[in-house]
């Protein structure tokens, strides 16, 4: 059974940090690129960051220099370190691999 389980969301003040985790099971984690998406109320879901099986990363422009995506293949976990958070980073953050999705974790940044 394929599962992606996110954790680490919460409420934080602007300028603060959060670290999201996504634990994967039921598929070959090390052979798949992993990504984080987010969706704010009234907005479409957008790609935030992606990491390939080789560790190459790319980010949406709005988070470059503030967010870091990483992976631990031994733990089958992908992370999103979010620093210098802004109110516009508020949304539900989803872990993704190909057509697999987690349930999402809420991130709220207060001004």
């Amino acid at each position: 059974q394929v599962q992606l389980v996110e954790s680490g969301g919460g409420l934080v003040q602007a300028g603060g940090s959060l670290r999201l985790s996504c634990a994967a099971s039921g598929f070959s984690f090390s052979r798949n690129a992993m990504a984080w998406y987010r969706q704010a109320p009234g907005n479409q879901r957008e790609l935030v960051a992606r990491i390939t099986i080789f560790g190459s990363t790319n980010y949406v422009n709005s988070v470059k220099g503030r967010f870091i995506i990483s992976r631990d293949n031994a733990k089958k976990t992908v992370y999103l370190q979010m620093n210098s958070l802004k109110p516009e980073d508020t949304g539900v953050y989803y872990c993704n691999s190909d057509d697999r999705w987690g349930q999402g974790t809420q991130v709220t940044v207060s001004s």
Side-chain angles (χ1 to χ4, degrees):
Q1 181 182 1
V2 173
Q3 278 194 313
L4 294 172
V5 181
E6 301 100 332
S7 61
L11 173 64
V12 64
Q13 287 189 333
S17 298
L18 284 173
R19 188 195 195 202
L20 305 184
S21 300
C22 171
S25 61
F27 65 101
S28 182
F29 179 84
S30 63
R31 297 183 181 182
N32 283 267
M34 300 297 298
W36 286 97
Y37 284 73
R38 69 184 177 191
Q39 187 167 20
N43 289 2
Q44 289 187 331
R45 194 172 296 188
E46 67 168 348
L47 175 65
V48 175
R50 185 176 183 270
I51 185 167
T52 71
I53 62 173
F54 304 109
S56 298
T57 59
N58 63 281
Y59 301 90
V60 66
N61 285 340
S62 60
V63 308
K64 284 181 179 177
R66 299 189 297 122
F67 289 13
I68 300 172
I69 187 172
S70 62
R71 65 189 296 158
D72 185 333
N73 288 340
K75 294 182 178 180
K76 298 184 179 180
T77 300
V78 61
Y79 304 98
L80 186 67
Q81 178 67 45
M82 306 187 294
N83 302 319
S84 302
L85 282 161
K86 303 176 181 180
E88 50 264 43
D89 294 318
T90 293
V92 180
Y93 283 68
Y94 297 92
C95 181
N96 165 267
S97 178
D98 197 12
D99 60 350
R100 313 170 187 96
W101 294 91
Q103 81 287 351
T105 186
Q106 176 70 44
V107 172
T108 303
V109 184
S110 63
S111 57

